[in-house]
Amino acid sequence: MDCVVRWVGADAGMSFMAETGSGHALVMDGAPEAGGRNLGPRPMELLLAGAGGCSAFDVVMILKKSRQAVSACVVSLSSERASEDPKVFTKIHFHYRVTGRKLKPEAVARAVELSKTKYCSASIMLGETADITADYEVVEEGEG
């Protein structure tokens, strides 16, 4: 896996353009108090989003392979970071809201656990510095 990150330049404050090995681009920026112009997410926000995306991917894939009729998966993440540099994540909580038809709660629990302990490279890596916790709710399709 490769990625190239370029500083957009002095006129752009602290904006950076990332080009991924799969051919996608995204902008990252710093907070205004750090010289940024708030043109994109912070790099640490992308780490958190990446962990959420990685885990949601796993949960949906596992549920589909288990022949569960999953129709939506939303992962809300909350985190805490160290107060001093390096300001690593110290706590991350994943809350999964999984929607489908007649989903088995035990299948959702298993998918969440497998993602956390076996498949989600991002959250497993972040778990080296952060206490990772998770919970879930199952929503019957059409109920909200």
Side-chain angles (χ1 to χ4, degrees):
M1 188 178 294
D2 299 310
C3 184
V4 176
V5 177
R6 290 181 178 82
W7 182 33
V8 177
D11 292 341
M14 295 304 289
S15 295
F16 295 84
M17 174 68 70
E19 297 176 41
T20 67
S22 59
H24 299 279
L26 61 97
V27 173
M28 296 175 280
D29 200 359
E33 60 270 15
R37 296 188 338 186
N38 204 30
L39 298 174
R42 314 294 181 258
M44 290 298 283
E45 289 176 321
L46 289 175
L47 279 174
L48 191 61
C54 179
S55 187
F57 182 98
D58 293 340
V59 168
V60 169
M61 185 67 70
I62 292 164
L63 289 172
K64 284 182 164 194
K65 286 184 177 179
S66 300
R67 292 185 163 80
Q68 295 293 297
V70 60
S71 60
C73 179
V74 176
V75 183
S76 301
L77 295 97
S78 57
S79 67
E80 293 180 19
R81 292 176 63 190
S83 57
E84 296 184 18
D85 291 325
K87 294 178 182 160
V88 298
F89 288 109
T90 56
K91 294 182 181 180
I92 303 173
H93 181 73
F94 290 68
H95 175 75
Y96 301 82
R97 183 180 168 96
V98 185
T99 303
R101 289 184 318 279
K102 298 180 182 173
L103 292 173
K104 295 179 182 173
E106 60 274 13
V108 175
R110 180 176 177 272
V112 167
E113 184 63 21
L114 283 171
S115 178
K116 180 182 176 187
T117 61
K118 185 173 182 180
Y119 294 114
C120 181
S121 306
S123 67
I124 291 168
M125 182 175 54
L126 289 171
E128 292 296 313
T129 64
D131 177 34
I132 307 285
T133 57
D135 62 13
Y136 67 90
E137 61 182 296
V138 176
V139 179
E140 183 63 27
E141 192 170 334
E143 288 185 6

